[in-house]
Amino acid sequence: MNRAVRRATLTVADAATEGLDMVTVVVGGAIGAWAGYTYSPDTWSGDWRLVFAGGIAVVAAVAVNSLAELFLTPLRRLLTKARSTARPQAGGHTAPCAPATLGEGLAQVTAATEDDAAVRAASAAWRIDQSENFLRDEDRWRGYEDGEASFYLAPGVWLHYRSEKNKYGNTEPRFTLLTGDGDQPVAITGMEQIRQHLTARAASLPVSATSDADDRDDDREHDRLTDALLAGVNEV
């Protein structure tokens, strides 16, 4: 069966089930009200007959609805099972075919490592982008086989991600701003820093690199990361 037709059928069935539930309440209440008013003693006043009919209507509505639940409950279970089988698997991600050679296996693991680094960077980005509307986009991150990743911000400007252990031995994410101009990496802890850097860069103003006690990158490391980023961009 076509997926769209099946989804529409399930939606109609859901609505019909909920409608039947309400119908049983209304029908049961109407029958109870009629029976209560009709068979109440004629010696009673009209107000008492109405009160009695109302009470019987409530009891009848509950009773009829309870009887209907004996049939509606199994139907709801069938609909729930049908929805679960019709719902596509989350993300639709599947592992690649088993490699035939060691080289193919290494290539698959390398690609998975790069994807993992991109996802980790996006997941940790909430520390500097708490709106989670920009840096949380996994597709904008490019991961590398060493577990690091980069986010292209503007021509010549990348946000770099890596993880390192702090003095307590816990792994923490580190974000730095890298440029292709040979500037020192700038430790980033918030979106405002990125905005200030790009604003100054757009106005051709100098940008002072703020130091961070937990983030000291020397010139050699900076050159290595920049070369890797430029090489990756050229490959794309």
Side-chain angles (χ1 to χ4, degrees):
M1 183 183 294
N2 184 274
R3 182 176 297 177
V5 175
R6 187 176 184 180
R7 189 184 304 114
T9 303
L10 290 174
T11 301
V12 172
D14 266 337
T17 303
E18 295 300 325
L20 286 174
D21 192 52
M22 293 299 299
V23 167
T24 58
V25 173
V26 173
V27 171
I31 294 175
W34 173 82
Y37 192 83
T38 301
Y39 294 103
S40 60
D42 295 334
T43 56
W44 289 4
S45 65
D47 291 341
W48 279 109
R49 295 183 70 181
L50 288 176
V51 171
F52 180 75
I56 298 298
V58 172
V59 173
V62 173
V64 173
N65 184 255
S66 298
L67 289 175
E69 282 296 319
L70 296 176
F71 303 96
L72 293 178
T73 298
L75 180 58
R76 291 194 183 98
R77 290 174 181 170
L78 289 175
L79 291 175
T80 301
K81 184 177 180 180
R83 279 196 300 270
S84 63
T85 57
R87 187 180 299 115
Q89 292 183 351
H93 297 297
T94 56
C97 298
T101 65
L102 178 60
E104 291 181 5
L106 177 60
Q108 290 182 3
V109 173
T110 299
T113 302
E114 294 174 352
D115 292 341
D116 179 73
V119 173
R120 288 177 182 272
S123 299
W126 67 268
R127 294 171 178 265
I128 56 178
D129 179 18
Q130 296 188 14
S131 68
E132 299 187 354
N133 293 326
F134 184 58
L135 297 179
R136 285 299 302 272
D137 187 353
E138 297 174 4
D139 295 332
R140 290 282 300 275
W141 284 96
R142 175 173 180 179
Y144 302 96
E145 57 185 289
D146 60 357
E148 300 179 0
S150 62
F151 189 101
Y152 178 79
L153 291 169
V157 185
W158 296 267
L159 181 66
H160 179 257
Y161 159 85
R162 76 176 187 278
S163 61
E164 63 180 28
K165 291 187 177 181
N166 58 22
K167 59 183 179 179
Y168 302 106
N170 299 321
T171 301
E172 291 187 352
R174 291 287 185 266
F175 294 93
T176 52
L177 205 63
L178 302 179
T179 69
D181 302 333
D183 299 330
Q184 285 288 343
V186 180
I188 298 298
T189 58
M191 291 295 296
E192 179 63 15
Q193 291 173 278
I194 300 177
R195 187 195 66 80
Q196 290 175 355
H197 183 98
L198 295 181
T199 299
R201 189 176 180 85
S204 300
L205 298 175
V207 181
S208 59
T210 58
S211 61
D212 183 30
D214 294 327
D215 190 4
R216 297 187 178 90
D217 291 311
D218 58 18
D219 293 338
R220 182 178 301 175
E221 179 68 8
H222 172 260
D223 292 341
R224 183 187 71 81
L225 294 173
T226 303
D227 291 342
L229 291 172
L230 292 176
V233 172
N234 292 332
E235 290 176 3
V236 176

